[in-house]
Amino acid sequence: MSNTLIPQIVGYARVSTASGEQISSLETQKSRLKTAGVQKIFTDVESGRSNDRQAFNELLQLIDKKAVKEIVVTRFDRLGRDAAFVDAALVLASKKNVQIRTIDTGVVDTESPTGFLMSRISTSLAEMESKMLSMRVKKAIDQRWKDGKIPRGKIPWGYHRVKYADKDRLELHPTEGERARKFLEVLKENGYRLHRTLKEFEDTPLSRVSSVKKWLYNPVLRGGIGFVKIGGYQYKKVLWGLHEPLIRHEDWFAVKRIMEFNTKAWGSSSKVQPKLLTGLAVCSCCENRLAYLPRKKETHAYALRCNFLKCDLYQKRVKAAMIVEAINKALAKRSKELASLTESEPVEVTKLRNEIDNLSKLDDSDLKEVIERKKEKLTGLLLTESPILKERAELMAEPGFWQHAVSLPDTRLREIYLEFVLKAVANPTEVTQVDLRI
């Protein structure tokens, strides 16, 4: 952005979320700033505790370049609720002779010790208020869970709410649960092409591709319940192992990866069934994806090539079998290492268990909340973050496993590869590198 386009006096407005009430507040701030004579206003819709706010960081750059003389906000806490970060911004503004002014309280004086102390107190109070709000929300969530109250909102297709004594539980619906399971089977047969499956599977409450994706990403389908949605498909807190899942944790990662590949294949290519190494094999010269060569006969071996015109290996033939063998060797070696590490438990799991035991021995009621948080983290590690469990590691480390695996249908073997393999870098003579997710 050219400095010549920036007025000497600019405004900054911020709200935490894009809810109706908050957006109304943002418009009120902007209106007040315009009345105060501000010509250009920078806005953020993000928590004041975040230090990655785009507009605020743009303002910091303008301050550093001395491109502005004054920044106006309606209230001091609009600058942020992280005391240390706002302090640093005020110090920078002071050094660059940029004035910070609030409509409600006037110019922020950072030159005198008393003025800086007052600004620090204002920021610290805003930070404390933010943390207290977060604490109240967290306690409300925890209490809601202890009371057996499932979060408000629509229960995903396939499940229903069942009341047991004073606690609610989610269970698979007697009829819709089975239909949802069959929908997932058809989805898998179609290579997780959402639009195609919707056309084939009639009479489903999932009417659009976006609703199917939202449904798939819901942790309820993996046996968990999410609390406080934080954008996209993420939740601030998820409790796992609460009911029967429709999708296993170990299968979910491969499902996500397949859908990611599908978004890159559109038009006529969307009708092509991905082969075993599609999207996983990379040219060692130019690092572009290798593409499958067409086969003249069904009995001919598969091969890939680089289609990047300027690459030294352009259209050079790379044997698919060579890449598969290298991937299998890498997975077998890593699985053997993991199997030996998981004879007891993974290091991070052992560490968490020890921490929980030590805290529990203190028998302090004030530590109960901390212990519960660590137990939830432990559950998360065992169910989702650990990409491979002891039994799978031992199985995949068996000498004959990968000899058998190559005879599996390509769709099943591809799911294993998508779960554990990042990429295989190859050229016509060798596989130079295999990057794994485990």
Side-chain angles (χ1 to χ4, degrees), residues 187-422:
L187 197 60
K188 184 176 180 179
E189 289 172 6
N190 286 334
Y192 295 95
R193 292 287 178 186
L194 309 186
H195 186 263
R196 185 192 306 172
T197 306
L198 277 176
K199 289 176 69 177
E200 290 183 15
F201 202 94
E202 297 179 355
D203 191 25
T204 166
L206 309 173
S207 56
R208 299 188 303 275
V209 167
S210 59
S211 58
V212 177
K213 194 171 182 181
K214 183 179 178 182
W215 178 70
L216 286 170
Y217 272 82
N218 196 313
V220 169
L221 270 66
R222 284 168 282 144
I225 293 178
F227 292 81
V228 189
K229 200 168 184 179
I230 54 175
Y233 306 105
Q234 301 297 315
Y235 289 85
K236 193 167 186 179
K237 178 177 179 180
V238 180
L239 298 179
W240 299 106
L242 302 178
H243 49 263
E244 183 181 350
L246 282 170
I247 302 174
R248 297 184 306 170
H249 279 287
E250 54 266 36
D251 293 336
W252 170 238
F253 189 81
V255 172
K256 279 204 302 181
R257 287 271 281 162
I258 293 169
M259 289 196 294
E260 286 168 9
F261 280 121
N262 288 347
T263 58
K264 298 173 185 176
W266 52 277
S268 58
S269 61
S270 66
K271 299 176 183 178
V272 178
Q273 184 71 26
K275 296 182 176 61
L276 179 60
L277 299 173
T278 300
L280 296 174
V282 175
C283 175
S284 64
C285 181
C286 66
E287 296 190 353
N288 281 304
R289 302 287 184 187
L290 297 178
Y292 271 90
L293 280 162
R295 292 191 302 171
K296 292 182 179 179
K297 292 184 179 179
E298 289 294 320
T299 53
H300 288 178
Y302 280 112
L304 300 94
R305 68 183 177 192
C306 179
N307 287 332
F308 184 53
L309 188 61
K310 295 181 179 180
C311 180
D312 293 340
L313 299 178
Y314 174 61
Q315 294 201 335
K316 299 291 185 182
R317 183 185 177 89
V318 181
K319 292 181 180 178
M322 177 181 70
I323 301 175
V324 169
E325 183 181 358
I327 289 175
N328 292 350
K329 281 183 178 178
L331 284 170
K333 180 182 177 182
R334 182 62 181 142
S335 298
K336 191 173 182 180
E337 293 170 357
L338 284 171
S340 63
L341 286 173
T342 54
E343 285 178 0
S344 53
E345 279 181 327
V347 176
E348 63 268 30
V349 171
T350 304
K351 182 181 175 183
L352 264 177
R353 285 197 191 280
N354 289 338
E355 289 175 358
I356 291 168
D357 288 341
N358 291 334
L359 289 171
S360 300
K361 287 174 184 175
L362 295 174
D363 195 25
D364 188 339
S365 59
D366 291 336
L367 295 174
K368 186 177 179 181
E369 186 175 341
V370 177
I371 293 169
E372 288 303 314
R373 283 205 307 268
K374 288 187 179 291
K375 284 181 178 179
E376 289 167 12
K377 186 177 180 181
L378 176 64
T379 303
L381 277 171
L382 292 173
L383 291 178
T384 58
E385 293 181 21
S386 297
I388 189 167
L389 299 177
K390 179 181 176 182
E391 294 77 11
R392 298 185 77 197
E394 291 175 343
L395 175 65
M396 292 169 67
E398 289 290 329
F401 176 83
W402 292 105
Q403 284 85 342
H404 167 71
V406 293
S407 64
L408 291 171
D410 275 5
T411 52
R412 179 61 191 128
L413 187 56
R414 180 170 168 79
E415 287 176 10
I416 296 173
Y417 283 2
L418 288 174
E419 184 176 358
F420 298 122
V421 181
L422 272 171

Side-chain angles (χ1 to χ4, degrees), residues 59-127:
L59 273 180
L60 291 180
Q61 291 178 22
L62 293 175
I63 293 171
D64 191 43
K65 295 174 183 176
K66 298 183 180 180
V68 293
K69 287 187 176 180
E70 186 178 40
I71 296 172
V72 184
V73 290
T74 56
R75 297 200 318 260
F76 195 84
D77 64 347
R78 295 303 90 197
L79 292 171
R81 294 177 182 269
D82 182 330
F85 185 66
V86 175
D87 278 355
L90 292 175
V91 169
L92 177 64
S94 178
K95 286 181 178 179
K96 300 293 181 177
N97 294 318
V98 176
Q99 197 174 67
I100 308 289
R101 177 166 61 92
T102 72
I103 294 175
D104 290 345
T105 57
V107 175
V108 179
D109 177 19
T110 56
E111 294 296 326
S112 68
T114 305
F116 192 85
L117 175 62
M118 293 305 296
S119 67
R120 181 60 197 265
I121 290 172
S122 298
T123 316
S124 297
L125 287 172
E127 183 176 22

